[in-house]
Amino acid sequence: MLFKSSYKAVRPFNHNVVLCVHDNKECIIIGKGVGFGVKPGDTIKNIENIEKEFYLVDSNNKENFKNLTTAIDKNIIGVTEEAIAIIAKKFNKELNEKIHITLPDHIAFAVKRMESGIQIKNVLLHEIRFLYKEEFKAAEEMLEIINKKLNIELPKDEIGFIAMHIHAAVNNEDVSKSSLDTAIISDMISFIEEKIGKELDKYSIEYCRMVTHLRFAIDRVRNNANIDNILIHSIKENYRNTYEIAKELADVINKDYGIDFPEGEIGYITIHLQNILAK
């Protein structure tokens, strides 16, 4: 990537990350040593070291980021921005700019909790691991970077939370939507376990397939992209008890979340559930 013209420093976060003005626009630059010895107002000298730059376009995001830079430790922002740059390169796409606000804010809060001795268990960790495999792997790497550079030890539960932020940024959606979908699926799994009277094997291929199906089924319902199930009558006949569980599950989710699974989707859920019960 070729970087031209001058970058004037607004706020250096660490030796490798600086908030600058470039062509009358604020941007975040990342590169080895670009912030070394830099003070606000300085012109960045070694622009050849810039590896990545991010521009905040939305006015609300600009304001929120500005507020964030005065509210939390600049080292947290710097390290998080370095990690975001690595993620952008790994997924080879532009990330939703909100991640520059939501992720450092989350990390800062996680650090504060840790320092206060407060532990937050991520009850959705297993579901996130299966639903967002690439994001989860990237989050593992990101947590390692953050812990190493900040010389702290955030717990592995944070991998799940970070993966949600990555998924939202990569898919250009609000992190609250990703979190809600994961919570819905977690509630569905809890309902199934209660109905069958045992805990599901969360490392089995059958579980992985069912959770993946549920994720896309929720999206299909929201987008009115329902799929036909030509075997629905056979499924209802051959797996009556399992179908009743799936039907009752669908009714509960419709009542609690307003997601109305059609009969065809209930049939597919029945098949996945039957494969689990048959083990």
Side-chain angles (χ1 to χ4, degrees), residues 6-240:
S6 64
Y7 293 77
K8 181 169 288 189
V10 176
R11 182 177 174 85
F13 297 116
N14 60 24
H15 290 170
N16 305 319
V17 182
V18 185
L19 177 65
C20 295
V21 172
H22 179 235
D23 290 340
N24 297 317
K25 297 177 183 177
E26 283 195 350
C27 67
I28 304 161
I29 61 170
I30 298 98
K32 189 173 182 179
V34 294
F36 184 76
V38 172
K39 298 177 181 178
D42 288 352
T43 297
I44 303 298
K45 295 179 180 179
N46 51 345
I47 61 173
E48 69 279 358
N49 287 1
I50 299 175
E51 299 172 8
K52 185 70 178 177
E53 62 181 1
F54 296 106
Y55 287 86
L56 298 182
V57 178
D58 183 86
S59 58
N60 288 330
N61 290 335
K62 287 181 181 179
E63 185 64 24
N64 288 335
F65 185 78
K66 180 181 178 181
N67 294 334
L68 194 69
T69 62
T70 60
I72 68 176
D73 188 336
K74 68 176 184 177
N75 290 320
I76 291 177
I77 296 177
V79 170
T80 306
E81 287 298 338
E82 289 183 71
I84 289 172
I86 293 172
I87 296 306
K89 184 176 180 180
K90 180 180 291 292
F91 285 88
N92 194 29
K93 67 183 300 184
E94 291 300 317
L95 304 179
N96 186 299
E97 63 182 50
K98 280 188 177 180
I99 194 172
H100 298 282
I101 297 98
T102 60
L103 188 56
D105 185 52
H106 172 82
I107 297 300
F109 190 48
V111 171
K112 185 176 181 180
R113 287 199 308 265
M114 184 196 68
E115 291 174 344
S116 301
I118 301 172
Q119 293 185 343
I120 301 295
K121 189 73 175 174
N122 192 334
V123 296
L124 305 176
L125 197 63
H126 286 292
E127 285 73 18
I128 295 170
R129 186 195 303 272
F130 283 114
L131 285 171
Y132 312 111
K133 292 181 180 179
E134 291 185 27
E135 293 91 334
F136 194 90
K137 184 177 180 180
E140 287 181 308
E141 296 177 20
M142 183 178 275
L143 182 65
E144 186 176 347
I145 292 169
I146 292 170
N147 278 341
K148 182 178 179 180
K149 294 206 169 189
L150 292 179
N151 194 27
I152 57 177
E153 195 60 44
L154 292 177
K156 293 192 179 297
D157 289 81
E158 285 297 328
I159 295 171
F161 296 124
I162 295 172
M164 289 285 86
H165 286 277
I166 295 173
H167 175 77
V170 169
N171 292 276
N172 200 32
E173 64 183 34
D174 198 293
V175 69
S176 62
K177 177 189 176 297
S178 301
S179 300
L180 174 62
D181 289 353
T182 307
I184 292 171
I185 292 171
S186 180
D187 284 352
M188 295 175 81
I189 297 302
S190 296
F191 176 88
I192 291 170
E193 289 179 332
E194 184 177 342
K195 293 299 292 186
I196 67 177
K198 68 175 183 179
E199 188 174 332
L200 300 179
D201 179 2
K202 293 180 172 58
Y203 293 96
S204 70
I205 187 65
E206 291 81 9
Y207 177 87
C208 181
R209 287 170 178 164
M210 183 174 72
V211 167
T212 301
H213 175 85
L214 293 176
R215 170 192 169 188
F216 290 110
I218 291 171
D219 282 341
R220 283 193 292 272
V221 172
R222 285 198 180 115
N223 297 322
N224 295 314
N226 299 329
I227 54 178
D228 293 328
N229 189 335
I230 61 175
L231 300 176
I232 187 62
H233 296 296
S234 176
I235 292 170
K236 292 169 71 173
E237 181 67 25
N238 294 324
Y239 309 120
R240 293 182 182 180

